[in-house]
Amino acid sequence: MRHNQAGDLPSSQGIINVYAFGLIANACHERKLTAWTYTHHDLTHYGNREIVKQAPEMGMTVNASAHSQSHAAELHKQGIPSVCIVPKNETRKTWEHDGVKFLVCPAQWSDKNCAECKLCSVAERSCVVAFKAHGTQAKKVEATIA
């Protein structure tokens, strides 16, 4: 189950609400769902970082949405599952940045879809998942990573 198609984890003043997150993660765990989501919350805040790191034990993978490849690599090296956006014209499927493997989301280049792939649900994966900028906001998104 992919949580938060839009939006982010419940929070107050930028701090993830651990109780609300626990309810979500527990519901997924009890139903034996493979569950994942993404967060833009500031992980330099200790509480947020710990929730993201402990999330798989609670029944859900939380991917940190990094603002650059360097940031994603840094998070990955710290054991935090991370993802980032790359330009829509990225031609590589995989590469290394700062010694960390990056893989373009298989749903963007193979015959698998998100429900079949589930790479983002694997907290201890060996790579950062890179999403090509897409959709009606692709140009706007690309401007933030340029």
Side-chain angles (χ1 to χ4, degrees), residues 48-60:
N48 289 349
R49 175 180 291 275
E50 288 308 302
I51 289 170
V52 169
K53 287 184 95 169
Q54 294 174 9
E57 296 168 26
M58 297 170 71
M60 178 180 255

Side-chain angles (χ1 to χ4, degrees), residues 33-71:
L33 297 173
T34 301
W36 69 99
T37 192
Y38 306 89
T39 186
H40 288 278
H41 286 301
D42 180 4
L43 297 186
T44 61
H45 182 279
Y46 177 78
N48 289 349
R49 175 180 291 275
E50 288 308 302
I51 289 170
V52 169
K53 287 184 95 169
Q54 294 174 9
E57 296 168 26
M58 297 170 71
M60 178 180 255
T61 296
V62 177
N63 293 282
S65 293
H67 46 262
S68 68
Q69 289 183 49
S70 294
H71 184 219

